[in-house]
C-alpha cells in the first residue's frame, strides 16, 4: 500500500525504474524453484499482478506490458488456477494489446485441464474463443473453442452450465454459417461485459455492443441486459 501511495506522485522516470525492478523480480521468480509450494507461489504472484493492474497512475505511464510475464509464472506453477484465466484474457488482450500471447497461454494451460478438473473449466474455452473472435478475428479458431466449451459444459447438469453449453453451441453454429456474424460478436462482447473487472472494460464492451447493433435494456426488475441484434 505504501508503494502504491508513493506511485501516485512519482515521476515518469520513477515509474520506469519501478517497472524495470518488477521485471527483474518476475524474471527471478520464473527461474527460482518453489520446493513443492507451486500453488502458494502462484497465489503470491497473482496478488502482485492485482497490485500492478490496479495501479492506474503507473499503468498510465508504462502500460501493461508485464501482464504476460505474471501469467507465465502463475500458469507454469498452477495451470488449474481457474480464476486467473479471466484476468489473463482481460489484461493481456484488451489492455496490453497482445491477444496472440493471451491465446497461447490459454492453449498451454488447457493441456492441464479437463471438463471436471478443476470444475467448470469450460470457461477457459469461452475466454479463448472470445479472444480469438474479438481480438484476432479468427472465426474458425473461435468456433472450435466455443464447440469445446459446449462439450465441456454439457458434462454438468446445473442450469448455469447447461445455459453456457447452449449459448456456446449456438455461437459456434453462427460462426460456421457466417464468420462475420454480428450476433456472435455481440454475444462475445456481452461475456466481456459480464466478466468485466473495471469500468474501462465495461465502457469498451458497451460501446462495441452498441456499434454492432446490440442494445442495453433495463428490465422491470431493474436488471440490465443485452438485447442482441437480429440473427445473421
Amino acid at each position: 500500500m505504501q508503494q502504491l501511495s508513493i506511485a501516485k506522485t512519482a515521476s515518469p522516470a520513477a515509474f520506469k525504474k519501478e517497472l524495470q525492478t518488477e521485471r527483474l523480480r518476475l524474471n527471478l521468480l520464473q527461474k527460482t524453484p518453489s520446493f513443492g509450494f507451486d500453488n502458494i507461489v502462484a497465489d503470491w504472484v497473482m496478488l502482485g499482478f492485482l497490485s500492478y493492474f490496479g495501479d492506474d497512475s503507473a499503468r498510465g505511464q508504462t502500460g501493461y506490458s508485464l501482464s504476460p510475464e505474471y501469467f507465465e509464472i502463475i500458469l507454469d506453477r498452477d495451470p488449474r488456477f481457474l480464476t486467473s484465466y479471466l484476468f489473463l484474457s482481460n489484461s493481456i488482450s484488451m489492455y496490453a494489446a497482445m491477444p496472440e500471447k493471451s491465446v497461447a497461454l490459454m492453449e498451454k494451460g488447457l493441456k492441464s485441464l479437463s471438463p471436471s478438473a478443476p470444475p467448470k473449466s469450460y470457461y477457459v474455452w469461452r475466454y479463448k474463443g472470445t479472444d480469438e473472435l474479438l481480438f484476432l478475428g479468427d472465426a474458425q479458431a473461435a468456433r472450435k473453442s466455443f464447440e469445446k466449451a459446449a462439450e465441456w459444459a454439457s458434462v454438468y447438469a446445473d442450469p448455469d452450465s447447461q445455459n453456457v453449453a447452449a449459448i456456446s453451441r449456438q455461437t459456434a453454429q453462427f460462426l460456421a454459417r457466417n464468420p462475420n456474424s454480428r450476433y456472435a460478436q455481440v454475444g462475445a462482447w456481452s461475456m466481456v461485459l459480464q466478466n468485466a473487472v473495471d469500468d474501462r472494460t465495461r465502457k469498451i464492451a458497451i460501446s462495441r455492443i452498441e456499434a454492432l447493433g446490440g442494445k442495453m435494456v433495463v428490465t422491470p426488475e431493474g436488471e440490465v441486459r443485452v438485447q442482441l441484434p437480429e440473427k445473421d
Side-chain angles (χ1 to χ4, degrees):
M1 292 300 295
Q2 183 179 8
Q3 289 178 341
L4 290 176
S5 178
I6 293 172
K8 291 181 180 179
T9 57
S11 66
F15 282 130
K16 291 180 180 179
K17 183 176 180 180
E18 179 184 325
L19 183 70
Q20 292 171 351
T21 301
E22 183 66 358
R23 178 173 280 114
L24 289 173
R25 188 181 77 89
L26 291 173
N27 288 338
L28 179 62
L29 280 170
Q30 282 184 319
K31 301 173 183 176
T32 302
S34 59
F35 302 105
F37 295 98
D38 284 337
N39 289 4
I40 293 176
V41 172
D43 290 345
W44 186 47
V45 175
M46 186 67 187
L47 289 174
F49 164 76
L50 292 175
S51 294
Y52 167 85
F53 185 75
D55 189 351
D56 293 336
S57 298
R59 301 291 70 75
Q61 294 287 334
T62 64
Y64 296 82
S65 61
L66 284 187
S67 291
E69 298 184 36
Y70 282 101
F71 288 102
E72 284 175 358
I73 299 171
I74 292 168
L75 296 183
D76 277 346
R77 303 303 174 104
D78 186 7
R80 295 185 174 183
F81 190 170
L82 193 57
T83 304
S84 70
Y85 287 91
L86 170 59
F87 289 93
L88 181 161
S89 174
N90 192 20
S91 65
I92 299 178
S93 289
M94 185 170 294
Y95 283 83
M98 291 187 256
E100 296 90 350
K101 188 66 176 179
S102 173
V103 169
L105 285 169
M106 283 189 274
E107 285 179 346
K108 182 179 179 181
L110 279 163
K111 294 177 181 178
S112 299
L113 307 183
S114 70
S116 58
K120 300 190 176 182
S121 294
Y122 53 77
Y123 277 110
V124 181
W125 283 111
R126 283 186 57 79
Y127 300 149
K128 179 172 173 286
T130 297
D131 281 5
E132 289 164 338
L133 177 62
L134 300 182
F135 301 107
L136 294 181
D138 191 342
Q140 183 176 358
R143 176 178 59 81
K144 293 178 180 178
S145 292
F146 284 116
E147 287 174 346
K148 292 294 291 185
E151 177 187 329
W152 285 25
S154 298
V155 171
Y156 298 88
D158 64 279
D160 286 343
S161 297
Q162 288 298 308
N163 184 51
V164 168
I167 292 173
S168 299
R169 192 174 298 111
Q170 190 176 48
T171 301
Q173 290 170 352
F174 288 140
L175 291 174
R177 293 196 301 265
N178 179 7
N180 297 315
S181 170
R182 290 185 305 127
Y183 190 86
Q185 291 177 59
V186 169
W189 278 115
S190 297
M191 181 183 173
V192 173
L193 177 61
Q194 180 183 2
N195 293 323
V197 294
D198 61 284
D199 287 336
R200 178 184 171 188
T201 301
R202 293 186 188 94
K203 291 177 181 178
I204 291 173
I206 290 172
S207 68
R208 298 296 176 87
I209 288 169
E210 292 176 342
L212 287 162
K215 295 180 181 179
M216 308 302 298
V217 297
V218 181
T219 67
E221 294 78 20
E223 183 181 355
V224 178
R225 293 184 179 178
V226 176
Q227 180 178 315
L228 300 175
E230 292 296 326
K231 297 180 182 180
D232 49 7

